[in-house]
């Protein structure tokens, strides 16, 4: 059962704020200043839309999330712009996965940066204290999408009906916004997926490798197959290790269970962030709206946030023509599947197989 | 458990299952067994747990306090149905 959470109908006093005792704004701002070269020169950070922000009252920054380890650069980028490109902004409290609080060294930075475990109290507490919230509702589901889906966010949560993956809209942040009428500012992050492109995602590999079980807390949506995997394979085949079983086992283990092995940067990228105009959310606090009506409203607002983020993603993707070949390959594959060529080939192979088996058995 | 109580729990379970399938899985007709662990399968997180608690209160008049109710009572559709059924009998 997930962590206990209080009903949104609870009184403000009953909402237990998350533990922000580790939050050290001065330290974090100092850390971001040290990241100036990395963000401005290496990642060539570009942030648009800061003028949309109305800092006098709390709001929620919500948007897409891109690939894996590099997702941290997105948080650094927006935090950098938030604290260093604005005059006296309020605190920005990030919502992260529970695993971030467990990784040695990183967890100290995470706590000092004001990143808490994503939950209703984790959002409501800071909002009621006058702070802002940063959330990427799709989390790992959004991060796992292939590069040719980069222009379409996937702010969803994943559930499993046995082996079947079910993706549904992640609405928690909308419910938090509705608890005080806090506006939602859609944010689009673009570029991180270019570092180490995901070519495909596989739910079967997720199960077969045991990754789903090993990393249950993260509730991963799939196993990403990256361009790095193929590069690694090519490099491995060029070494004498390819002749040994131990070499193959080591290669497999590294490329399945050690994330940096298949997410190291291949291409340079530009981190581009755009903040959209705020989406107003009605204040439902204390109102006994029928549940069905409330859910309908949440979905509608989520749809608007998604559309805004996706429109910005398309805009930010302009001027990146070198990524188009990935789209062309994906389009070609989709056309191939739709053309039934593969089905025809499979049928032909099935017809051939019995005669092949029969000819072998008579030898 | 007496037969009538089993029948009541099954009816309650069916309604809870329908709600979960329609609202959290968005798949009409999806098969969700009574013993599927809702948390471990990702079906319930802190937000959807609250929505489910609101549904249970609205539909059956039973308050499901997520902080005080034992986790075992909320682990699956079957467990929740038994919890609701017990509370309905207690309130009757």
């Amino acid at each position: 059962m997930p962590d206990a959470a209080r009903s949104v109908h609870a009184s403000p006093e009953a909402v237990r704020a998350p533990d922000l005792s580790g939050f050290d704004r001065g330290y974090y701002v100092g850390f971001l200043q040290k990241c100036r070269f990395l963000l401005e020169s290496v990642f060539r950070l570009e942030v648009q839309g800061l003028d949309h922000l109305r800092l006098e009252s709390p709001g929620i920054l919500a948007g897409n999330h891109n690939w894996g380890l590099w997702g941290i650069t997105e948080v650094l980028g927006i935090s950098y712009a938030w604290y260093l490109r604005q005059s006296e902004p309020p605190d920005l409290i990030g919502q992260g996965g529970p695993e971030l609080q467990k990784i040695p060294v990183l967890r100290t930075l995470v706590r000092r940066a004001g990143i808490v475990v994503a939950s209703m109290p984790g959002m409501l507490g800071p909002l009621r204290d006058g702070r802002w919230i940063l959330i990427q509702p799709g989390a790992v589901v959004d991060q796992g999408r292939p590069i040719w889906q980069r222009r379409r966010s996937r702010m969803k949560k994943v559930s499993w009906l046995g082996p079947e993956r079910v993706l549904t809209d992640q609405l928690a942040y909308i419910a938090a916004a509705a608890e005080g009428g806090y506006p939602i500012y859609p944010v689009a992050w673009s570029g991180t997926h270019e570092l180490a492109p995901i070519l495909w995602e596989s739910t079967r590999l997720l199960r077969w490798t045991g990754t789903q079980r090993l990393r249950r807390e993260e509730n991963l949506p799939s196993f990403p197959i990256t361009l790095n995997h193929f590069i690694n394979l090519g490099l491995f085949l060029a070494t004498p290790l390819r002749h040994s079983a131990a070499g193959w086992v080591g290669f497999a283990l590294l490329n399945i269970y050690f994330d940096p092995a298949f997410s190291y940067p291949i291409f340079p990228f530009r981190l581009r962030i755009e903040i959209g105009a705020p989406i107003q959310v009605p204040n439902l606090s204390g109102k006994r709206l029928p549940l069905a009506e409330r859910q309908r409203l949440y979905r509608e607002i989520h749809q608007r946030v998604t559309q805004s983020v996706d429109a910005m993603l398309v805009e930010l993707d302009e001027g990146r023509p070198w990524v188009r070949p990935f789209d062309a390959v994906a389009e070609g594959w989709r056309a191939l599947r739709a053309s039934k060529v593969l089905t025809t080939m499979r049928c032909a192979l099935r017809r051939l197989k019995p005669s092949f088996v029969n000819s072998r058995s008579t030898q | 458990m007496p037969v009538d109580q089993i029948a009541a729990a099954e009816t309650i379970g069916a309604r809870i299952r329908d709600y979960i399938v329609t609202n959290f899985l968005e798949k009409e007709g999806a098969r969700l067994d009574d013993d599927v662990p809702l948390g471990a399968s990702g079906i319930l997180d802190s937000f959807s747990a609250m929505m489910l608690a609101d549904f249970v209160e609205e539909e059956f008049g039973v308050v499901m306090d997520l902080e005080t109710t034992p986790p075992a009572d909320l682990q699956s559709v079957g467990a929740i149905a038994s919890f609701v059924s017990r509370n309905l009998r207690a309130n009757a």
Side-chain angles (χ1 to χ4, degrees):
Chain A
M1 185 68 199
D3 291 339
R6 292 194 181 264
S7 166
V8 291
H9 296 304
S11 65
E13 293 75 29
V15 172
R16 208 181 46 239
D19 179 14
L20 283 168
S21 58
F23 176 45
D24 186 339
R25 178 173 166 143
Y27 170 86
Y28 190 43
V29 171
F31 176 82
L32 290 169
Q33 284 167 338
K34 291 188 180 84
C35 293
R36 184 189 302 271
F37 175 77
L38 183 72
L39 289 167
E40 293 197 4
S41 303
V42 177
F43 294 152
R44 297 174 291 160
L45 178 67
E46 189 183 295
V47 181
Q48 303 169 49
L50 285 172
D51 51 309
H52 284 136
L53 300 173
R54 298 285 167 263
L55 300 178
E56 54 274 11
S57 55
I60 298 176
L61 301 179
N64 65 296
H65 206 5
N66 297 319
W67 176 212
L69 291 179
W70 302 108
I72 196 84
T73 60
E74 298 169 354
V75 175
L76 283 178
I78 192 74
S79 300
Y80 181 86
W82 181 268
Y83 286 113
L84 298 178
R85 292 187 184 176
Q86 299 191 107
S87 172
E88 295 179 9
D91 293 339
L92 181 64
I93 304 302
Q95 305 288 307
E99 68 282 357
L100 290 178
Q101 307 282 337
K102 293 175 182 168
I103 301 172
V105 179
L106 182 65
R107 64 180 170 215
T108 307
L109 174 62
V110 160
R111 284 175 197 155
R112 294 180 93 167
I115 297 174
V116 300
V117 176
S119 66
M120 287 303 286
M123 289 187 280
L124 287 177
L127 284 168
R128 286 174 176 164
D129 286 343
R131 295 174 155 130
W132 281 59
I133 290 295
L134 169 65
I135 187 165
Q136 291 164 306
V140 290
V141 176
D142 221 351
Q143 286 178 301
R145 68 194 200 288
I147 190 166
W148 58 77
Q149 293 178 14
R150 65 190 179 281
R151 288 181 293 257
R152 203 169 56 212
S153 63
R154 199 161 73 175
M155 291 187 285
K156 296 186 181 286
K157 58 180 279 246
V158 60
S159 304
W160 296 93
L161 281 179
E164 187 190 350
R165 182 181 83 174
V166 180
L167 298 180
T168 49
D169 290 335
Q170 179 55 279
L171 302 174
Y173 72 109
I174 309 281
E179 270 306 291
Y182 305 110
I184 295 174
Y185 293 79
V187 183
W189 282 270
S190 180
T192 26
H193 43 262
E194 296 175 21
L195 274 169
I198 298 176
L199 302 181
W200 196 249
E201 52 172 344
S202 170
T203 54
R204 283 202 185 105
L205 271 181
L206 184 72
R207 284 196 311 277
W208 293 348
T209 58
T211 310
Q212 185 177 29
R213 196 179 293 272
L214 283 169
R215 296 166 69 164
R216 187 181 291 281
E217 200 171 43
E218 293 169 69
N219 201 13
L220 299 172
S222 57
F223 186 93
I225 297 164
T226 65
L227 183 60
N228 308 57
H229 281 119
F230 292 94
I231 293 173
N232 294 346
L233 181 62
L235 292 171
F236 176 74
L237 291 174
T239 70
L241 288 171
R242 72 184 188 275
H243 298 300
S244 77
W248 279 101
V249 169
F251 173 79
L253 290 176
L254 206 61
N255 282 273
I256 291 170
Y257 302 112
F258 187 55
D259 287 17
F262 51 89
S263 59
Y264 55 81
I266 302 176
F267 303 110
F269 81 108
R270 158 164 261 155
L271 177 57
R272 305 172 81 183
I273 303 174
E274 186 171 347
I275 301 169
I279 292 172
Q280 299 303 327
V281 178
N283 188 347
L284 301 182
S285 176
K287 292 185 180 156
R288 304 298 288 193
L289 203 63
L291 188 57
E293 176 62 23
R294 197 147 31 101
Q295 286 182 237
R296 187 199 60 76
L297 186 65
Y298 292 163
R299 289 216 160 80
E300 192 186 289
I301 297 171
H302 178 71
Q303 182 89 339
R304 289 169 58 196
V305 174
T306 303
Q307 283 169 353
S308 178
V309 169
D310 288 356
M312 291 190 288
L313 283 174
V314 169
E315 193 185 303
L316 292 173
D317 196 54
E318 294 301 315
R320 309 294 294 162
W322 75 269
V323 191
R324 299 287 179 261
F326 293 105
D327 299 340
V329 169
E331 200 51 52
W333 177 249
R334 271 195 291 270
L336 194 65
R337 289 180 76 171
S339 71
K340 298 181 185 168
V341 167
L342 290 176
T343 313
T344 309
M345 282 171 62
R346 265 190 228 115
C347 289
L349 278 170
R350 272 195 219 112
R351 279 196 221 107
L352 280 173
K353 191 180 171 188
S355 59
F356 175 70
V357 168
N358 288 339
S359 68
R360 287 199 68 175
S361 66
T362 57
Q363 286 173 1
Chain B
M1 201 191 292
V3 172
D4 59 336
Q5 289 172 18
I6 294 171
E10 281 173 356
T11 307
I12 292 167
R15 284 155 74 180
I16 291 171
R17 188 184 311 113
D18 281 346
Y19 176 78
I20 291 174
V21 165
T22 305
N23 292 280
F24 303 153
L25 297 174
E26 296 171 10
K27 277 177 86 84
E28 295 287 346
R31 184 189 162 89
L32 176 63
D33 293 334
D34 279 0
D35 56 354
V36 168
L38 298 174
S41 59
I43 294 171
L44 279 197
D45 54 19
S46 63
F47 168 67
S48 47
M50 284 181 351
M51 298 298 281
L52 182 61
D54 285 350
F55 167 75
V56 165
E57 188 174 348
E58 211 174 84
E59 187 80 356
F60 306 108
V62 170
V63 174
M64 197 165 81
D65 188 326
L66 296 171
E67 290 241 326
T68 57
T69 305
D73 281 343
L74 307 172
Q75 193 164 12
S76 63
V77 170
I80 298 170
S82 297
F83 168 83
V84 171
S85 178
R86 282 199 312 273
N87 276 270
L88 283 173
R89 285 198 310 278
N91 293 342

